[in-house]
Structures are given as structure tokens and as C-alpha cells.
Amino acid sequence: MRIALPFLALTLGLLLGGTATAADDSAPLPVEHAQWSFEGPLGTYDRGALQRGFQVYKEVCSACHSLNLVAFHDLDGPGGPGFTEAQAKALAAGYKIPAGPNDKGEIFDTHGNPLTRPGVLADHFPPPFPNEEAARASNGGALPPDLSLIVKARAGGPDYVNSLLIGFSQKPPHGFTVQDGKFYNPYFAGRNIAMPPPLVDGSVTYADGTKSSVVQEAHDVVTFLAWAADPNLEARHQMGLEVMAFLVLLSGLLYLSYRKIWKGQH
């Protein structure tokens, strides 16, 4: 019995150790930290990255993902990507928005398609699919999430989204099974993800001439999505600086008042 117990303990340990190793193959990797201009109490958004990121969203991500909480007027608003009002109007007009009944009460055209109109600044970005069923049918049963708050909704924030976007280039370890219809991504829970690699080198021709590598595209679109999730970040940081400056000034005045009142009292 004295020999059997250690042998049994060793056997269980090897079995459990093997199970843990196998489980680790499907556990997501820790996200990689990237440098973001909006980090810290003095952080601000990089306008160039915001505009490039919008371009990546428009040309790549918007085919599957909605941006329901962002309106076109946000593009030229304070703290936004820095588009002019004319640019924002032109961008809005490039989208087709579902229209209400016309003067005849019709909601479909002669071909049976829903009536649409060009977007205006007051409109929000229209979703790529009319409903959830259509979205799932076009994506193998998976529902592409809305990206309005994705950076705040995922643990790891911008670093997670950025790691996920660039993680498709990594190869699965030996013995790991990639499920049918899925793609390997080590930063996704289970490492099997329904989304195909969305970015490739040169997939976007940037208007400002920046070279569009996968790393650059990911960084830019994550910056844009961080702004979409927190458009008031700069105003909040500015208010914090003003409050701190006021408190420092107030502290100085109180100290001088103290010295004046209690001078010669000791």
C-alpha cells in the first residue's frame, strides 16, 4: 500500500497535468499591449488615425458590423475625427437610409425593394442587414456584434480588439483542431472564431497616403472604435485638467490666507 499510494498520486498528477496542458491549447493568449494616443489622463485622439480608422470601418468592417450609436453629425462634431461639415454631409449622402412612406403611402418601389433616401447628418449609420435573421444567414449562423461600444464591452479594451485583428496571422499549435467553418485566432476564447480574417496588407488605400499594413489598419480602426465608444474623452480630460488647476490655485490661496491670519500668533 505504501508503494501503491505514491504511484497512484503520480499517475493522477500526470493525467491532470496532461488535461491542463490540453486545456491551455484552447485558452486565449494574454492580449498584446499597444501604444494609444488616448491613454492616460492627458490622452487625446490622433485625428489622422481616426480618419483612417473610419475608412477601414467603412470599406471593410461595415459589410458585416453595424455602428448603431454613431450619427453622421458626430464625424464633424467637437472631439470627433475632424471631418468638415461638408465632408460629413458627403459621407452621409453616400449611405442609403430606409425611407418612410412616400406621398402615395408606398414603402416599396416598382421592383419590390424598400424605398431609401440619401443619408443626412442627423441619421445614424445604417446596419448592413435588415434584421438579426438576415445577419446570421449571411454569416454562417453567427451574429456580427455592433461595434459602437465594442472597445468598452470587451475585457482588455482596445488592446483586445487590436490583438484579435492581428492574431489571424498566427498558426494553430500542433494537434489543435480548427472547427469547420471557423478560423484560428489565439486571442479569442476557444481560439475558434466564426469571423474570417478581415484585414490584409493593402486592403485599404488610405486617402492620406499612409501604407496600409494589417498592423496599421488594425491600429487605426481600433482608434476609431475607441472614439465611437467614448467620444467625450477629450472633453472629460480637459475638464479634469481645469479642475486640478482650480484645486491647486485654491490650495495656494488657502495657504496664503492661513499665513496671513495666523502670522505672529505663535
Side-chain angles (χ1 to χ4, degrees):
M1 181 63 68
R2 291 180 181 178
I3 297 177
L5 286 177
F7 177 78
L8 178 61
L10 177 61
T11 303
L12 289 174
L14 290 173
L15 290 174
L16 292 175
T19 303
T21 301
D24 289 342
D25 288 341
S26 62
L29 293 180
V31 299
E32 299 290 337
H33 177 65
Q35 296 297 320
W36 306 105
S37 65
F38 49 85
E39 285 183 314
L42 303 179
T44 59
Y45 291 118
D46 179 341
R47 261 53 201 182
L50 285 179
Q51 294 191 15
R52 292 192 300 270
F54 168 74
Q55 190 176 347
V56 176
Y57 168 76
K58 183 176 183 294
E59 296 183 17
V60 180
C61 309
S62 65
C64 297
H65 295 276
S66 57
L67 200 66
N68 293 330
L69 300 182
V70 180
F72 291 110
H73 65 72
D74 294 325
L75 297 177
D76 72 313
F83 292 109
T84 65
E85 182 178 352
Q87 288 174 322
K89 285 182 177 180
L91 290 170
Y95 285 82
K96 298 298 183 182
I97 307 297
N102 59 20
D103 54 359
K104 298 180 181 180
E106 300 169 333
I107 59 174
F108 298 98
D109 61 20
T110 56
H111 300 287
N113 299 314
L115 295 176
T116 60
R117 59 171 175 79
V120 298
L121 291 180
D123 291 319
H124 285 68
F125 282 83
F129 304 104
N131 51 54
E132 179 179 331
E133 290 73 18
R136 290 186 181 278
S138 297
N139 291 277
L143 179 64
D146 179 77
L147 298 183
S148 304
L149 299 174
I150 196 71
V151 168
K152 286 187 173 293
R154 298 293 186 267
D159 287 331
Y160 169 75
V161 181
N162 186 68
S163 296
L164 189 75
L165 289 174
I166 65 177
F168 286 97
S169 62
Q170 297 193 32
K171 303 299 182 183
H174 178 72
F176 183 87
T177 301
V178 179
Q179 301 171 10
D180 291 340
K182 299 293 180 70
F183 301 86
Y184 179 75
N185 193 304
Y187 299 101
F188 188 74
R191 302 196 180 189
N192 278 281
I193 186 171
M195 179 175 69
L199 304 176
V200 296
D201 291 338
S203 61
V204 176
T205 301
Y206 282 133
D208 64 1
T210 300
K211 185 177 180 180
S212 58
S213 64
V214 168
V215 172
Q216 183 69 56
E217 292 166 11
H219 188 275
D220 291 339
V221 76
V222 170
T223 299
F224 174 73
L225 295 177
W227 165 80
D230 193 0
N232 298 316
L233 175 139
E234 292 179 340
R236 190 171 64 252
H237 286 182
Q238 180 63 33
M239 180 177 292
L241 287 175
E242 293 173 357
V243 169
M244 290 300 296
F246 171 77
L247 291 176
V248 170
L249 178 60
L250 179 62
S251 298
L253 291 175
L254 290 175
Y255 176 73
L256 293 175
S257 298
Y258 168 82
R259 292 289 303 273
K260 180 70 174 179
I261 294 171
W262 293 98
K263 184 178 180 181
Q265 300 297 315
H266 299 289

